[in-house]
């Protein structure tokens, strides 16, 4: 880390960080971000006001699934991995954030397209396609991904309670076992469901926005160099100790497997006419919504990494700030916002962290519900589902927080994120294969090029995962203190597991699918298309729900309408 600190010598940090610099750093990145924002809005406006396409009113009816899914990209797990990557490597891993969110946009849009095109979500298609043994293995891995994603939410909420009320982290972990359960239970009661929950979700969104605004404000204060930030985003580099592991954790925290199941199911809460125009319009709307949400998530993650990297890699830090940066976690990161928020920095940061953890945990619960219903055709009440997943997620979080305290809990977030990265191929390979079949048969054939890009990015991620897994384990065997007999015994157990992991990926990739995953739209009857695009099925104006990919059981999800 010494070379990075040397590179940070000339950073224009304020004197209140422990020193000063005479270099004047113009905030070029602010203009770059502003141009990107205006460019994105311009594309959206051009697309929506095209004379051949429906406008804002119809677009708004599709808003909701992408926003709920995007919460996972600014959850406590993402923030923790951002902080760790910045503290250890400065801006060097920003390219992982950029590529990860581009990859996320592609596969999330494919998940939405899959639901629209087939009328079924991803777990239902996996159940129909794979043999019973493979089906149950995929189900267990999907459940494991939900639990791994819930661990950072539990610990993040516990950190927030620790900052606000000085509750020990282990006690905060216990308290989080009931928090999301309480929020979900409120949705069952009439007026509360329609009014209070919407207001509560809006409040959470506002608090997350406040935290994002604070990091943007602090970014303008510490002035990270635009060249360093852009170089980190555009030049792939894995140098320094632990860089590969941090990159895998970053990717796992950004591209979560359960989000693909969730997105493919949430789009079924919208009625889409079974016509070429109706399917293409829905896919376009969901892409715009998801793109905007993930673009905002990209800006937030870049801001967090830029602020943490600028502050922690400067050589003019005070001794207190240097100690905080050497053990940087979600629980201690509020000091970075003190120049923008003053004495209230820790309180506002904790409230925003609490909102982030609770919002993401609600999305995790929905994802688990759809996974269980799709794979097993078993519908479990939301509060029971949340109780089960939270109980499983609380166990390791509680043990680690008691033994290792805040540092141990923060390390558990990184480990959970790495697990998600290794589970991800078992989700996106079936998704890409189903999407490939639909794209070849469907009206939106151009998406085949997106699928090719997805395969390239996915195989690259898989290669990094396998490389890190093998080199780390071999390095551990070489440098551990166990006798040779112990090393041989461990190798006999672990190397076959690695081989099974690799062979499973090969099997899923090259297995020939047999189930048709596409609903052929009505293309021969213009009158029928016009009726369906108006939301009607019959000439008399009646409507049949079986003519469109619409999930009646998903209609009670509290999404914007």
């Amino acid at each position: 880390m010494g070379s990075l600190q040397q590179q940070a010598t000339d950073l224009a940090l304020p004197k209140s960080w422990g020193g000063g610099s005479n270099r004047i750093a113009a905030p070029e990145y602010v203009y770059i971000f502003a141009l990107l924002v205006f460019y994105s809005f311009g594309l959206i406006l051009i697309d929506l006001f095209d004379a051949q396409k429906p406008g804002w009113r119809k677009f708004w009816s599709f808003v909701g699934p992408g926003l709920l899914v995007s919460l996972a990209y600014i959850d406590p797990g993402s923030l923790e991995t951002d902080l760790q990557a910045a503290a250890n490597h400065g801006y060097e891993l920003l390219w992982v954030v950029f590529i990860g969110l581009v990859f996320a946009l592609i596969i999330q849009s494919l998940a939405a397209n899959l639901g629209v095109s087939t009328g079924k979500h991803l777990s239902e298609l996996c159940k129909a396609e794979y043999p019973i043994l493979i089906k149950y293995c995929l189900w267990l891995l999907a459940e494991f991904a939900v639990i791994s994603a819930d661990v950072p939410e539990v610990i993040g909420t516990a950190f927030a309670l620790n900052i606000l009320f000085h509750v020990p982290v282990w006690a905060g972990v216990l308290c989080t076992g009931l928090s999301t359960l309480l929020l979900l239970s409120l949705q069952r009661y009439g007026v509360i469901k329609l009014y209070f929950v919407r207001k509560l979700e809006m409040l959470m969104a506002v608090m997350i926005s406040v935290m994002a605004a604070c990091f943007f404000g602090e970014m303008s204060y510490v002035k990270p160099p635009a060249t360093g930030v852009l170089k980190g985003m555009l030049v792939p580099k894995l140098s320094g100790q632990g860089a590969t592991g941090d990159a895998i954790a970053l990717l796992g925290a950004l591209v979560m497997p359960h989000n693909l199941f969730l997105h493919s199911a949430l789009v079924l809460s919208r009625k889409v006419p079974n016509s070429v125009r109706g399917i293409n319009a829905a896919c376009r709307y969901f892409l715009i919504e998801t793109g905007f949400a993930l673009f905002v998530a990209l800006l937030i993650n870049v801001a967090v990494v830029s602020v943490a990297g600028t502050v922690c890699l400067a050589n003019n830090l005070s001794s207190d700030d240097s100690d905080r940066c050497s053990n940087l976690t979600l629980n201690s990161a509020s000091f970075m916002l003190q120049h923008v928020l003053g004495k209230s920095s820790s309180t506002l940061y904790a409230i925003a962290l609490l909102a982030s953890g609770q919002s993401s945990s609600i999305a995790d619960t929905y994802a688990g519900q759809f996974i269980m219903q799709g794979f097993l055709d078993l519908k479990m009440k939301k509060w029971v589902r949340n109780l089960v997943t939270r109980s499983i997620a609380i166990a390791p979080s509680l043990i680690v927080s008691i033994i290792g305290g805040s540092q141990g809990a923060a390390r558990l977030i990184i480990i959970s994120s790495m697990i998600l990265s290794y589970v991800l191929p078992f989700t996106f390979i079936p998704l890409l294969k189903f999407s490939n079949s639909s794209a070849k048969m469907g009206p939106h054939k151009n998406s085949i090029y997106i699928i090719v890009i997805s395969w390239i990015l996915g195989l690259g991620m898989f290669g990094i995962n396998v490389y890190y897994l093998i080199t780390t384990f071999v390095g551990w065997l070489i440098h551990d203190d166990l006798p040779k007999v112990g090393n041989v015994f461990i190798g006999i157990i672990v190397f076959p597991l690695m081989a099974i992991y690799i062979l499973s990926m090969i099997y899923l990739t090259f297995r020939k699918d047999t189930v048709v995953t596409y609903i052929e739209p009505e293309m021969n009857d213009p009158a029928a298309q016009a009726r369906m695009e108006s939301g009607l099925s019959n000439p008399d104006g009646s409507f049949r729900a079986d003519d469109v990919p619409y999930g009646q059981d998903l209609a009670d999800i509290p999404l914007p309408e």
Side-chain angles (χ1 to χ4, degrees):
M1 206 166 97
S3 61
L4 290 174
Q5 288 179 338
Q6 182 64 34
Q7 294 173 11
T9 302
D10 296 328
L11 292 177
L13 286 175
K15 294 183 178 180
S16 53
W17 283 115
S21 173
N22 294 323
R23 187 176 69 87
I24 299 176
E28 300 95 338
Y29 54 85
V30 174
Y31 305 120
I32 294 171
F33 284 157
L35 287 174
L36 289 174
V37 170
F38 285 122
Y39 179 71
S40 301
F41 272 114
L43 291 179
I44 292 174
L45 290 173
I46 291 172
D47 192 59
L48 288 178
F49 284 102
D50 191 320
Q52 302 299 320
K53 303 169 186 175
W56 278 105
R57 181 173 298 179
K58 192 165 185 178
F59 168 71
W60 184 248
S61 67
F62 287 87
V63 171
L67 296 180
L68 184 59
V69 166
S70 67
L71 292 174
Y73 297 93
I74 48 176
D75 71 327
S78 300
L79 296 176
E80 177 65 38
T81 52
D82 287 345
L83 293 171
Q84 292 290 333
N88 296 332
H89 310 286
Y91 319 121
E92 287 188 359
L93 295 183
L94 275 173
W95 67 271
V96 179
V97 176
F98 179 71
I99 293 179
L101 282 167
V102 170
F103 184 43
L105 174 60
I106 294 173
I107 60 176
Q108 291 291 168
S109 63
L110 289 177
N113 292 358
L114 187 69
V116 172
S117 300
T118 65
K120 296 181 180 295
H121 50 82
L122 181 58
S123 56
E124 291 176 324
L125 293 173
C126 288
K127 177 189 176 183
E129 174 62 42
Y130 294 107
I132 186 168
L133 179 61
I134 304 301
K135 177 187 72 174
Y136 279 110
C137 289
L138 292 176
W139 169 65
L140 289 174
L141 287 170
E143 295 286 359
F144 191 51
V146 173
I147 294 168
S148 298
D150 210 32
V151 168
E153 329 304 2
V154 169
I155 296 176
T157 305
F159 281 162
L161 295 176
N162 175 260
I163 297 172
L164 289 173
F165 307 110
H166 304 290
V167 176
V169 175
W170 65 266
V173 168
L174 290 176
C175 292
T176 58
L178 300 175
S179 56
T180 308
L181 182 63
L182 176 62
L183 294 178
L184 288 172
S185 65
L186 292 175
Q187 299 178 22
R188 301 179 59 189
Y189 301 103
V191 176
I192 295 180
K193 174 181 177 180
L194 296 175
Y195 180 79
F196 180 75
V197 173
R198 291 291 180 86
K199 300 300 181 183
L200 188 60
E201 291 175 344
M202 186 179 297
L203 177 62
M204 290 181 177
V206 169
M207 293 315 303
I208 295 173
S209 301
V210 168
M211 180 171 65
C214 292
F215 273 103
F216 284 127
E218 191 71 22
M219 192 176 178
S220 65
Y221 189 88
V222 300
K223 295 181 175 62
T227 53
V229 173
L230 290 177
K231 183 179 179 181
M233 289 183 64
L234 301 177
V235 180
K237 188 177 181 181
L238 289 174
S239 63
Q241 185 177 4
T244 305
D246 287 339
I248 291 174
L250 264 177
L251 190 62
L254 290 172
V255 190
M256 296 188 179
H258 68 284
N259 253 7
L260 304 179
F261 293 102
L262 178 61
H263 206 175
S264 65
L266 289 177
V267 297
L268 299 180
S269 63
R270 302 305 195 253
K271 296 180 180 180
V272 178
N274 184 28
S275 65
V276 176
R277 183 179 177 185
I279 291 174
N280 284 340
C283 292
R284 182 172 61 253
Y285 287 143
F286 286 128
L287 174 62
I288 293 171
E289 181 211 13
T290 305
F292 176 76
L294 293 188
F295 179 73
V296 173
L298 171 65
L299 295 183
I300 294 174
N301 282 275
V302 168
V304 173
V305 173
S306 299
V307 170
T310 304
V311 171
C312 290
L313 294 182
N315 66 342
N316 52 6
L317 280 175
S318 64
S319 58
D320 290 341
D321 290 335
S322 179
D323 292 338
R324 290 169 179 169
C325 285
S326 63
N327 298 295
L328 187 61
T329 66
L330 282 175
N331 205 22
S332 60
S334 61
F335 81 95
M336 296 182 181
L337 305 178
Q338 60 188 356
H339 296 99
V340 174
L341 302 177
K343 295 181 179 179
S344 61
S345 60
S346 61
T347 301
L348 288 178
Y349 169 80
I351 293 174
L353 183 61
L354 181 65
S356 174
Q358 290 304 292
S359 302
S360 302
S361 62
I362 291 175
D364 294 347
T365 303
Y366 281 131
Q369 182 74 9
F370 299 139
I371 289 169
M372 182 169 291
Q373 178 268 325
F375 278 104
L376 307 180
D377 198 20
L378 177 63
K379 297 180 181 179
M380 184 181 292
K381 292 183 178 179
K382 294 183 182 71
W383 70 269
V384 175
R385 171 73 212 175
N386 182 64
L387 182 62
V388 172
T389 56
R390 270 295 161 104
S391 298
I392 299 174
I394 280 173
S397 304
L398 182 62
I399 294 172
V400 171
S401 60
I402 291 175
I403 297 175
S406 298
Q407 291 298 317
R411 184 59 186 167
L412 182 60
I413 293 179
I414 302 297
I415 294 174
S416 298
S417 300
M418 296 180 71
I419 290 174
L420 288 170
S421 181
Y422 281 99
V423 175
L424 180 61
F426 292 96
T427 303
F428 83 77
I429 289 178
L431 170 65
L432 293 184
K433 295 190 71 178
F434 295 148
S435 298
N436 184 50
S437 174
S438 298
K440 287 179 180 178
M441 300 170 60
H444 42 281
K445 296 182 177 62
N446 290 336
S447 62
I448 191 68
Y449 302 108
I450 300 298
I451 293 171
V452 171
I453 296 173
S454 301
W455 275 110
I456 294 173
L457 291 175
L459 291 176
M461 182 204 70
F462 175 60
I464 293 175
N465 284 354
V466 173
Y467 168 79
Y468 179 75
L469 192 66
I470 294 176
T471 55
T472 301
F473 181 67
V474 171
W476 180 82
L477 287 179
I478 294 174
H479 298 101
D480 71 354
D481 297 327
L482 294 176
K484 291 184 178 180
V485 176
N487 286 338
V488 171
F489 180 74
I490 294 174
I492 291 174
I493 296 175
V494 175
F495 279 115
L497 293 177
M498 292 183 183
I500 292 173
Y501 178 81
I502 296 172
L503 291 175
S504 299
M505 297 298 99
I506 296 174
Y507 169 80
L508 289 176
T509 301
F510 293 101
R511 180 186 181 275
K512 186 176 180 180
D513 293 341
T514 59
V515 175
V516 176
T517 60
Y518 183 71
I519 299 175
E520 190 68 28
E522 295 284 349
M523 293 183 288
N524 299 324
D525 187 351
Q529 284 196 53
R531 287 197 302 270
M532 284 185 294
E533 288 165 8
S534 300
L536 304 175
S537 290
N538 300 320
D540 61 358
S542 61
F543 174 80
R544 291 205 318 256
D546 58 343
D547 286 335
V548 293
Y550 171 64
Q552 185 65 39
D553 59 324
L554 305 178
D556 65 335
I557 296 176
L559 299 174
E561 296 179 356

